[in-house]
């Protein structure tokens, strides 16, 4: 069956004898061919700078006992279909597993997209790994990891989180709260839809891969996206105005493998995999920070893009955007609770992890969390 382990074992008779006398030794002799898939192209920060380096390190560290057949740019599974690809055994590993696009299945995984202050990719990445490692019960005695991953038959690790999301337009200047009214802007997840609407713009839900055509045709005039991600979707030539310093949250995603695949992996390989995945996420985060800086310089030089720090805008505009950030927390928490999800407990834990990393919460959020 496609996607299942392809095992090249020792001769059948020798393996049977080894299994009867030393099962751990037999298990360690196995070789595993895994299909690893990305719906994104290799130029994306989560593919060329995470999926490939991760796979390379695993193959080298295991002396080829784990080998990957690699697929890119939706060759096997398209954006938003990663869960179907895993559960349907089309693929073994999804990198990245874009949980926010899996509508209704991973509702709490949006939490990293809550607006924060003074955070960057490494901080969000570390906090998200601690969220996955946390033993704090959020609902029915279950942790975040159990609710989002275990209950869905998956094992997962963070990627390097995106840098803070910013609001950009194809040219429309946003220097007054009224300028958001009627602005059709792309949002790619539930929390981003909330954030865009709290700003007063009209949210248009779509994967980032569809943004270029929508921006080119004028279907949307604005987009919520991390600046470093522009090149991944070729939108850098289209975006002319960006408000920086507002941190509309960071997108996190998973490196995900099916639970049954993980369960069949020998313990020594699990250890190598876990250690490699954790380090790959941190390395990826460091790259993401540099990518943002490079993209800003390139956009200014080659495309006459304008970047405006929110602190230079009017007091009314600053207050409006700050209130939108605070409201985003409240609306998301309320929405999750209405759906029977532990939104408040999750937000409280995330806030604790973020502040422990040195990040800050928008004014008023602490009161909401009480």
């Amino acid at each position: 069956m496609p996607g299942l382990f392809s095992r090249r074992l020792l001769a059948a008779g020798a393996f049977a004898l080894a299994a009867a006398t030393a099962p751990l030794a037999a298990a360690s002799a196995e070789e595993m061919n895994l299909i690893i898939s990305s719906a994104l192209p290799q130029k994306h920060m989560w593919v060329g700078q995470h999926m490939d380096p991760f796979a390379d390190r695993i193959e080298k560290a295991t002396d080829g006992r784990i080998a990957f057949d690699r697929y890119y740019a939706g060759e096997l599974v398209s954006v938003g279909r990663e869960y179907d690809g895993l559960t349907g055994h089309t693929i073994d590993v999804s990198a990245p597993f874009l949980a926010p696009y899996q509508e209704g299945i991973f509702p709490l995984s949006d939490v990293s997209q809550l607006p924060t202050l003074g955070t960057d990719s490494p901080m969000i990445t570390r906090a998200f790994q601690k969220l996955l490692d946390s033993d704090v019960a959020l609902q029915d005695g279950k942790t975040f990891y159990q609710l989002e991953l275990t209950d869905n038959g998956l094992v997962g690790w963070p990627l390097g989180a995106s840098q803070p999301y910013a609001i950009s337009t194809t040219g429309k200047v946003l220097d007054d709260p009224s300028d958001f009214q009627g602005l059709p802007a792309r949002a790619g997840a539930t929390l981003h839809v909330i954030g865009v609407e709290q700003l007063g713009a009209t949210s248009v839900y779509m994967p980032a891969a569809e943004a270029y055509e929508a921006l080119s045709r004028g279907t949307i005039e604005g987009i919520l996206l991390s600046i470093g991600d522009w090149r991944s979707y070729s939108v850098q030539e289209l975006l002319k105005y960006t408000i920086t310093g507002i941190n509309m949250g960071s997108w996190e995603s998973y490196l995900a493998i099916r639970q049954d695949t993980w369960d069949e992996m020998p313990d020594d390989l699990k250890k190598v995999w876990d250690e490699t995945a954790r380090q790959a996420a941190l390395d990826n985060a460091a790259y993401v920070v540099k990518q943002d800086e490079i993209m800003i310089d390139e956009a200014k030089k080659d495309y006459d893009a304008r970047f405006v720090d929110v602190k230079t805008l009017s007091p009314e505009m600053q207050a409006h955007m700050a209130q939108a950030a605070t409201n985003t927390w409240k609306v998301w928490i309320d929405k999750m609770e209405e759906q029977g999800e532990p939104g408040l407990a999750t937000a409280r834990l995330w806030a604790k992890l973020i502040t422990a990393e040195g990040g800050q919460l928008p004014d008023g959020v602490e009161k909401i969390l009480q």
Side-chain angles (χ1 to χ4, degrees):
M1 178 181 293
L4 291 176
F5 284 137
S6 173
R7 304 192 174 190
R8 299 186 297 275
L9 304 174
L10 301 175
F15 174 73
L17 176 60
T21 58
L24 292 179
S28 67
E30 295 179 5
E31 296 179 2
M32 303 176 179
N33 281 351
L34 302 178
I35 294 178
I36 189 169
S37 167
S38 174
L40 304 176
Q42 277 186 290
K43 65 180 179 179
H44 195 280
M45 63 185 182
W46 287 332
V47 186
Q49 297 298 325
H50 184 275
M51 172 180 151
D52 280 335
F54 167 78
D56 290 342
R57 293 178 193 176
I58 288 291
E59 290 177 337
K60 181 177 180 180
T62 63
D63 293 325
R65 288 170 59 201
I66 294 179
F68 294 99
D69 293 329
R70 309 180 195 192
Y71 293 86
Y72 307 96
E75 291 176 307
L76 288 183
V77 177
S78 60
V79 170
R81 305 294 295 180
E82 293 93 349
Y83 188 58
D84 291 340
L86 285 167
T87 58
H89 291 255
T90 301
I91 61 176
D92 299 306
V93 186
S94 179
F97 181 84
L98 301 171
Y101 285 145
Q102 322 292 311
E103 188 68 26
I105 304 176
F106 303 88
L108 302 176
S109 291
D110 282 5
V111 69
S112 68
Q113 296 168 14
L114 287 168
T116 52
L117 303 173
T119 54
D120 60 14
S121 176
M123 294 168 70
I124 296 294
T125 302
R126 291 193 299 267
F128 204 78
Q129 182 64 72
K130 292 175 182 177
L131 179 64
L132 296 182
D133 290 337
S134 173
D135 59 2
V136 175
L138 301 179
Q139 185 180 67
D140 299 330
K142 295 181 179 181
T143 65
F144 179 90
Y145 190 98
Q146 291 169 327
L147 291 168
E148 292 293 279
L149 292 170
T150 304
D151 283 359
N152 288 303
L154 300 179
V155 179
W157 297 260
L159 310 182
S162 75
Q163 279 286 85
Y165 268 47
I167 184 75
S168 305
T169 74
T170 51
K172 183 175 183 178
V173 174
L174 305 172
D175 56 16
D176 186 84
S178 62
D179 293 329
F180 286 107
Q181 299 300 319
L183 176 74
R186 175 264 175 181
T190 296
L191 246 166
H192 286 157
V193 168
I194 294 171
V196 166
E197 293 178 349
Q198 290 304 309
L199 287 170
T202 302
S203 64
V204 180
Y205 180 83
M206 68 174 64
E210 299 175 11
Y212 181 87
E213 183 176 358
L215 288 165
S216 297
R217 294 185 175 185
T219 304
I220 58 175
E221 297 177 53
I223 187 170
L224 203 62
L225 189 65
S226 67
I227 297 168
D229 239 355
W230 289 5
R231 185 184 288 106
S232 299
Y233 305 107
S234 302
V235 297
Q236 66 269 30
E237 63 189 66
L238 303 175
L239 300 176
K240 303 300 182 182
Y241 181 90
T242 298
I243 299 178
T244 61
I246 59 171
N247 196 335
M248 295 300 290
S250 293
W251 186 295
E252 253 293 12
S253 290
Y254 300 108
L255 166 70
I257 184 171
R258 280 194 317 279
Q259 182 73 58
D260 62 341
T261 305
W262 180 252
D263 290 342
E264 294 184 43
M265 190 179 293
D267 288 344
D268 62 326
L269 296 188
K270 287 181 180 178
K271 184 175 186 296
V272 172
W273 184 294
D274 179 71
E275 293 173 351
T276 303
R278 289 169 183 264
Q279 187 59 51
L282 297 175
D283 293 345
N284 190 211
Y287 171 83
V288 169
V289 173
K290 294 178 181 178
Q291 180 177 256
D292 240 48
E293 297 169 352
I294 292 171
M295 190 68 259
I296 290 174
D297 290 342
E298 180 182 318
K300 287 179 178 179
K301 178 181 178 181
D302 297 340
Y303 304 107
D304 296 321
R306 181 184 174 193
F307 296 87
V308 179
D309 192 308
V310 67
K311 294 179 182 178
T312 67
L313 299 177
S314 68
E316 293 78 15
M317 187 64 160
Q318 292 184 51
H320 173 73
M321 300 192 75
Q323 189 60 55
T326 301
N327 290 348
T328 298
W329 280 73
K330 186 178 189 311
V331 174
W332 184 78
I333 290 170
D334 290 346
K335 182 180 180 66
M336 291 297 100
E337 294 290 336
E338 290 171 2
Q339 294 177 357
E341 305 291 344
L344 181 57
T346 303
R348 282 174 174 164
L349 178 55
W350 181 245
K352 180 179 179 180
L353 296 171
I354 284 298
T355 53
E357 288 293 333
Q360 298 176 321
L361 307 178
D363 289 342
V365 167
E366 289 187 5
K367 184 177 180 179
I368 292 171
L369 298 178
Q370 292 173 0

